[in-house]
Amino acid sequence: MKIRAHSPGRYPILILELPSGELRAAYHEAGYDLERTKPVGESWLYENAIGRHSFVEVKPPRELPAGELVDYVRRELLAPGGE
């Protein structure tokens, strides 16, 4: 899957692109469990998340297996000097 964007802060929300092309919002409180994600659209990503809520677009999108989402957040987003 690809990480397309994330929210700033201590409990980042990730916007993921699944292999099917579908975009989903994955939440810290749900442990980034793909079964507990919310579908979102491409327009919502740019108009709402990035446009209104200061999400950071990941360019190019970061590809990784679903099982590595929690580690990615800890290592790349929450560690000092991360994205």
Side-chain angles (χ1 to χ4, degrees):
M1 75 178 48
K2 296 178 184 176
I3 298 174
R4 297 274 306 273
H6 61 82
S7 65
R10 186 173 177 186
Y11 304 105
I13 298 168
L14 302 178
I15 305 300
L16 307 172
E17 182 179 331
L18 302 182
S20 65
E22 181 181 16
L23 294 181
R24 312 264 319 167
Y27 301 90
H28 177 271
E29 341 25 271
Y32 303 107
D33 179 351
L34 295 182
E35 299 294 321
R36 298 174 63 191
T37 59
K38 175 185 170 188
V40 298
E42 193 78 30
S43 62
W44 180 89
L45 171 62
Y46 289 103
E47 294 169 12
N48 193 20
I50 293 171
R52 293 187 188 132
H53 295 289
S54 302
F55 275 54
V56 176
E57 185 174 11
V58 178
K59 283 188 161 184
R62 178 76 182 265
E63 292 190 51
L64 56 117
E68 293 183 20
L69 291 175
V70 172
D71 288 336
Y72 169 81
V73 169
R74 285 186 193 136
R75 183 181 64 248
E76 303 289 331
L77 304 181
L78 299 179
E83 274 186 25

